[in-house]
Amino acid sequence: MQPLVADSFEACLLDKVDCRRQRVSQIVEEVQKVIYHLTTEISNQDIRFQAIPYSPMYNGNITVLGPSQFLITVPVRGLAGYREAREQRWRYYTLQGARLHCPLRSPEGLLQWLEVRQFVKNLWQWHETDVSIEGDIVPAKVLQVFRKLVENAIETCHLSGKVSMLTPGIAVHVAMETSAGQVEIELAPEVEIPTAWSKRAPWPRCLSRWPSSERAKCIKSFGFSLLARWRWHYHWQLSFLQAERVLLEQLDEDGGCRRRCLQALRQLKEDVWCPGRRPVITSHHLQTVLFWTCEKYPYAKDWRVFSKGLLRLARKLHKCVRQRFLKHFFVRSGNLLEHATAAELDAVAQRLGLFLKDPGGLLAFHSGLVSVDGSSQVPDSCPGERHQAAMEITLTTSTSEA
């Protein structure tokens, strides 16, 4: 009886996952149509930015961070043949052109400088002072140019009633009205580097058993990219979105349940542990938690039981949130929770802790009887089945795996 109840619990949870997928797919469809028109107009105005083509099947430039939160990378044109910088030099400039007495802080973790001369082929427009200072392509200046182009494109494409700028300054955050409600989008110019792997990402790690060496070699062949993000004025952010997508593609070729566990973890995060329009924990954080857990538990036998896999991920997430530290999977010195507030993370850690004390309460949640703080209110009907499901799930919490 217990396995049957557990199977019903898993089916109920994954039904919600399917509903979410359909809803998000519809939103993505609407978003990419608008983004296609905007970026086409932007590309017509400035050759340095590429248009994002419309794709009815899949669009690699759109990353879903949450049901109403998206990151869209806009590839730049005219920078090819990337080479790592051969020498280090100090920078003494400001965005306004003034000279500093002390050099700017050197980049750490996921950040790096970017010089025009690092590209064998480059358009002369990248040497212009609107995006360059002393030979550096400065992300803050690129964002200033790009933001103005976005504002003009919204007007030119007659999308003012549908799309609006969210924040002042250099950030390119827009709000867009969809049939499912308003969504928030960050547009980030992207320098694609498909021919190299960053020296800041020594991966795969020594003695790592996941993924296989052949798979890792394939993943590294997709290279990396550099994003201009509003938080860093002088430094570009390393991004491995394409490599991460490839890593996700064949998660369960050995017959495991890793993908289902990730989907269930994401559903619980969005409904219970970290709800809201701007969650401190995004789908990218959960994906990273999965990668680290797969590296620690690389074998098919570790991912045969759904409830065990889900709880293993929940424990790892709880540990990272509680410690306020989640290492980037490729660049270990990068902390993906670096800019999250302590209060937000503590709130998520508290809800996760309540869940881990009583995993069987999930069944009550899927009856719509769990509050936002994680407390459960189990009805009087079918107490036997609820108890059996709780026993089935709780049995897997006796070992420390995260």
Side-chain angles (χ1 to χ4, degrees):
M1 181 67 178
Q2 286 187 4
L4 179 61
V5 173
D7 289 344
S8 299
F9 163 77
E10 179 183 349
C12 179
L13 184 58
L14 295 179
D15 278 346
K16 298 196 71 173
V17 170
D18 286 336
C19 291
R20 176 198 184 274
R21 183 188 299 113
Q22 294 173 16
R23 185 174 68 255
V24 171
S25 295
Q26 177 59 39
I27 294 173
V28 170
E29 173 79 8
E30 297 179 38
V31 166
Q32 72 164 331
K33 286 181 179 178
V34 171
I35 295 301
Y36 166 71
H37 290 298
L38 287 177
T39 55
T40 298
E41 176 61 27
I42 289 170
S43 184
N44 290 336
Q45 296 299 319
D46 192 325
I47 194 175
R48 291 174 291 191
F49 301 98
Q50 297 185 38
I52 298 177
Y54 172 79
S55 172
M57 298 298 294
Y58 170 77
N59 195 319
N61 295 102
I62 300 178
T63 300
V64 181
L65 301 177
S68 59
Q69 191 177 26
F70 298 82
L71 168 65
I72 297 181
T73 56
V74 181
V76 302
R77 183 187 287 111
L79 295 172
Y82 174 82
R83 300 169 297 186
E84 292 278 355
R86 296 181 179 179
E87 60 184 27
Q88 298 293 330
R89 65 182 179 88
W90 299 109
R91 273 79 170 176
Y92 293 88
Y93 58 75
T94 67
L95 295 179
Q96 294 73 32
R99 296 292 298 177
L100 298 173
H101 296 292
C102 297
L104 291 169
R105 181 178 178 180
S106 297
E108 299 175 349
L110 289 167
L111 305 177
Q112 74 163 63
W113 304 106
L114 187 63
E115 302 177 60
V116 181
R117 66 178 181 177
Q118 287 182 246
F119 297 92
V120 176
K121 297 179 180 179
N122 53 76
L123 287 175
W124 64 265
Q125 287 91 338
W126 289 109
H127 295 267
E128 292 291 303
T129 56
D130 62 342
V131 295
S132 176
I133 302 177
E134 297 183 6
D136 287 337
I137 304 175
V138 182
K141 294 180 77 66
V142 173
L143 283 171
Q144 287 174 344
V145 172
F146 185 65
R147 180 186 172 97
K148 185 63 177 177
L149 290 167
V150 172
E151 292 173 343
N152 292 340
I154 291 173
E155 295 294 330
T156 303
C157 296
H158 307 291
L159 290 170
S160 300
K162 195 175 185 66
V163 181
S164 59
M165 302 298 295
L166 273 177
T167 55
I170 64 171
V172 188
H173 289 115
V174 301
M176 175 181 160
E177 299 297 333
T178 71
S179 58
Q182 188 182 85
V183 298
E184 297 183 7
I185 303 168
E186 179 186 356
L187 293 161
E190 175 188 34
V191 179
E192 296 175 313
I193 306 172
T195 57
W197 186 258
S198 174
K199 291 183 179 180
R200 287 179 174 265
W203 182 85
R205 283 162 281 280
C206 183
L207 303 180
S208 174
R209 294 163 293 176
W210 184 91
S212 66
S213 57
E214 294 80 8
R215 187 71 176 154
K217 185 177 180 180
C218 171
I219 289 167
K220 293 180 71 172
S221 70
F222 285 87
F224 69 108
S225 61
L226 297 168
L227 303 183
R229 306 291 293 274
W230 63 274
R231 201 180 294 275
W232 300 284
H233 287 187
Y234 298 96
H235 305 138
W236 291 79
Q237 179 190 343
L238 277 76
S239 172
F240 301 85
L241 291 175
Q242 180 63 23
E244 290 167 356
R245 291 188 186 104
V246 176
L247 191 55
L248 280 172
E249 280 180 0
Q250 297 180 354
L251 269 181
D252 297 320
E253 56 184 359
D254 58 6
C257 60
R258 299 171 186 83
R259 187 178 300 278
R260 283 181 293 150
C261 291
L262 174 62
Q263 291 170 337
L265 187 78
R266 183 180 59 201
Q267 191 66 48
L268 290 167
K269 189 277 296 184
E270 292 176 359
D271 289 347
V272 184
W273 304 329
C274 189
R277 296 185 57 82
R278 298 179 184 177
V280 65
I281 302 297
T282 68
S283 294
H284 186 257
H285 293 119
L286 302 185
Q287 175 182 288
T288 305
V289 166
L290 174 68
F291 290 159
W292 282 114
T293 309
C294 286
E295 185 175 276
K296 186 175 182 180
Y297 299 94
Y299 301 118
K301 64 182 178 65
D302 299 318
W303 299 95
R304 287 174 181 161
V305 181
F306 171 79
S307 57
K308 287 184 178 180
L310 176 59
L311 286 169
R312 188 180 290 128
L313 292 179
R315 290 192 199 98
K316 176 65 175 178
L317 177 62
H318 182 240
K319 178 181 178 181
C320 294
V321 172
R322 187 163 40 85
Q323 295 178 346
R324 302 170 190 169
F325 190 83
L326 173 58
K327 291 181 291 187
H328 190 280
F329 187 63
F330 295 120
V331 184
R332 298 186 65 179
S333 58
N335 178 15
L336 298 182
L337 299 178
E338 178 182 6
H339 300 287
T341 66
E344 289 177 310
L345 292 178
D346 289 345
V348 175
Q350 182 181 17
R351 292 166 188 159
L352 272 163
L354 290 171
F355 161 71
L356 290 171
K357 288 180 181 178
D358 180 23
L362 272 173
L363 193 62
F365 162 70
H366 283 285
S367 299
L369 293 165
V370 168
S371 60
V372 173
D373 64 1
S375 59
S376 59
Q377 302 175 15
V378 183
D380 294 332
S381 59
C382 304
E385 289 190 2
R386 278 193 303 278
H387 176 71
Q388 289 177 25
M391 287 290 291
E392 180 72 19
I393 298 169
T394 306
L395 284 175
T396 65
T397 64
S398 58
T399 58
S400 177
E401 297 176 324

